[in-house]
Amino acid sequence: MKRRSTQAAGGAASSNAAATLHGVVIAAHGRHYLVAPDDGGPALQCFPRGKKSEVAVGDRVDYQSTSADQGVIVAIGERRNLLYRSDQFKSKLFAANLDQLLIVLATEPHFSEDLLGRALVAAEANDLKPIILLNKIDLEAALPLARQRLERYRALGYTVLEVSEKKHPQEAHAILCEHLNGHQTILLGQSGMGKSTLVNLLIPDAEAATREISTALNSGRHTTTFTRLYRLPGEHGKSAGALIDSPGFQEFGLYHLTEGTLERAFPEFRPLLAHCRFYNCHHLHEPGCAVLEAVEDGRIAPARHELYAQLVHEISQVVR
Ligand SMILES: Nc1nc2c(ncn2[C@@H]2O[C@H](COP(=O)(O)OP(=O)(O)OP(=O)(O)O)[C@@H](O)[C@H]2O)c(=O)[nH]1
Ligand SMILES: [Mg+2]
Ligand SMILES: [Zn+2]
């Protein structure tokens, strides 16, 4: 872990409050963070020391306590990865140190395929395993269309799970545990898809813990307003992993990606990339483009290529 030097540097740790302790960030709301200490003690409300330092849920941090339940974050540990979204001007952190991305969709309300596509690209770009979850399959009238819309993603090789968290919680529990235990997984999805319901199904006491944190972070609404990490209950001392619940969102800008990353984030493009006439082909209008030929003869869905073109357009708009 990288550490910034602090004024506490001076040999033997004295018994005053300047000792550097370690923990994991388990909630973020604006510039307020909750840190769970490694020693298993109660979470502390912490502020980052620098004005600009951005801390993410899932970050390992060094902190110093300033009172019984407050502290200051003095260093952020090296990250395996950092998932975030961005527009032309700024970025918004989702979480750090992830293994998987669970995209939570529902039969109702109607899910956005644009957001689904972007979440898949974000997963591919960060080398995270994406899992697509279709929830609320008890709403039978909307089920056939939802399944049909997801067929394309199954064909691309993505894992698509189907559950009803509400109507068949035991089956849902079994399916989800199989895929989530032992991993650090972030739940992404629009509002109302069932992310928090899923957390409550898998994490005993989640509701109480959330209420406690809402009070600590001063936000008391029903819908999720801050990102929060929950440890999955362990089996026989094995590391059980964690779930990160995030607020529902409408926009998933990926302005921070590069064109090289983008073209490889579409699995159906990958085997074709070496076959374009020009080695620096953008796969937009170029003659002899293997990707465009595949769109032309139906091997690549036009909507997927449109998403690619839209993302390429967006990254060209960045004010760097
Ligand atoms: N019919 C049905 N309703 C469900 C199911 N799972 C969740 N719901 C309902 O869907 C609504 C939204 O669920 P939440 O878990 O709060 O959704 P969320 O994704 O956390 O939403 P945000 O926090 O706003 O992002 C709630 O009223 C749930 O009771 C299901 O399997 N079937
Ligand atoms: Mg929620
Ligand atoms: Zn091409």
Side-chain angles (χ1 to χ4, degrees), residues 9 17 64 75 81 86 101 112 120 140 161 223 235 247 249 271 298 318:
Q64 295 170 352
N81 50 49
S86 58
L101 202 157
S112 155
L120 290 171
E140 285 170 24
L161 308 176
T223 186
E235 269 172 37
F249 54 89
V318 181

Side-chain angles (χ1 to χ4, degrees), residues 14-33:
S14 58
S15 56
N16 63 31
T20 297
L21 305 165
H22 313 290
V24 173
V25 176
I26 58 163
H29 184 71
R31 278 180 54 79
H32 299 231
Y33 301 96

Side-chain angles (χ1 to χ4, degrees), residues 190-192 194-197 222-225 245-248:
Q190 291 151 268
S191 198
K195 299 181 294 298
S196 297
T197 308
H222 179 74
T223 186
T224 309
T225 54
D245 190 13
S246 66

Side-chain angles (χ1 to χ4, degrees), residues 5-320:
S5 63
T6 73
Q7 66 269 47
S14 58
S15 56
N16 63 31
T20 297
L21 305 165
H22 313 290
V24 173
V25 176
I26 58 163
H29 184 71
R31 278 180 54 79
H32 299 231
Y33 301 96
L34 278 196
V35 173
D38 282 354
D39 68 11
L44 289 93
Q45 186 170 9
C46 289
F47 300 90
R49 173 171 282 165
K51 273 223 177 71
K52 280 246 161 136
S53 50
E54 280 213 278
V55 183
V57 168
D59 266 332
R60 295 205 45 81
V61 294
D62 293 354
Y63 69 94
Q64 295 170 352
S65 62
T66 51
S67 73
D69 58 357
Q70 293 205 337
V72 51
I73 294 168
V74 295
I76 303 171
E78 223 165 306
R79 292 164 172 152
R80 275 194 290 143
N81 50 49
L82 177 66
L83 188 72
Y84 62 100
R85 58 199 158 100
S86 58
D87 60 22
Q88 276 160 283
F89 308 105
K90 59 180 186 338
S91 56
K92 191 156 171 19
L93 306 186
F94 279 123
N97 301 320
L98 299 164
D99 302 316
Q100 308 191 124
L101 202 157
L102 184 70
I103 304 164
V104 184
L105 309 175
T107 49
E108 260 178 33
H110 194 77
F111 64 82
S112 155
E113 229 173 300
D114 178 67
L115 284 187
L116 166 59
R118 286 167 185 265
L120 290 171
V121 167
E124 298 275 357
N126 285 285
D127 270 325
L128 300 174
K129 181 182 176 180
I131 301 172
I132 300 170
L133 178 70
L134 178 64
N135 182 32
K136 310 196 195 182
I137 58 171
D138 55 293
L139 302 177
E140 285 170 24
L143 183 55
L145 177 60
R147 276 196 178 137
Q148 189 201 319
R149 295 174 74 206
L150 290 176
E151 202 39 59
R152 173 185 302 159
Y153 302 92
R154 284 187 203 272
L156 287 173
Y158 291 118
T159 303
V160 181
L161 308 176
E162 294 189 352
V163 298
S164 169
E165 294 165 2
K166 266 272 167 84
K167 191 97 180 278
H168 301 292
Q170 281 177 335
E171 286 93 324
H173 188 274
I175 291 171
L176 291 165
C177 282
E178 187 195 325
H179 288 87
L180 303 181
N181 276 354
H183 307 287
Q184 182 121 314
T185 307
I186 184 161
L187 315 183
L188 292 184
Q190 291 151 268
S191 198
M193 295 290 157
K195 299 181 294 298
S196 297
T197 308
L198 187 159
V199 168
N200 287 317
L201 184 64
L202 265 56
I203 315 274
D205 311 330
E207 221 148 337
T210 303
R211 235 177 294 124
E212 206 174 300
I213 284 175
S214 302
T215 317
L217 294 182
N218 260 325
S219 82
R221 268 154 291 174
H222 179 74
T223 186
T224 309
T225 54
F226 53 88
T227 303
R228 162 82 162 104
L229 181 149
Y230 304 85
R231 285 183 213 285
L232 286 159
E235 269 172 37
H236 315 298
K238 266 197 302 186
S239 160
L243 290 184
I244 299 174
D245 190 13
S246 66
F249 54 89
Q250 296 299 327
E251 307 259 307
F252 199 156
L254 293 167
Y255 287 72
H256 54 288
L257 299 184
T258 63
E259 210 177 302
T261 306
L262 269 183
E263 65 179 13
R264 283 190 300 276
F266 287 76
E268 66 270 56
F269 291 15
R270 267 180 236 142
L272 304 171
L273 295 174
H275 302 286
C276 295
R277 185 178 305 163
F278 303 112
Y279 83 97
N280 59 347
C281 185
H282 301 292
H283 326 299
L284 293 174
H285 315 286
E286 293 78 0
C289 170
V291 172
L292 290 174
E293 279 165 16
V295 176
E296 206 54 41
D297 66 24
R299 282 172 290 143
I300 289 178
R304 292 277 292 170
H305 184 262
E306 278 161 31
L307 173 62
Y308 166 79
Q310 173 62 26
L311 294 172
V312 170
H313 170 73
E314 288 176 11
I315 61 176
S316 73
Q317 303 297 303
V318 181
V319 185
R320 290 188 205 273

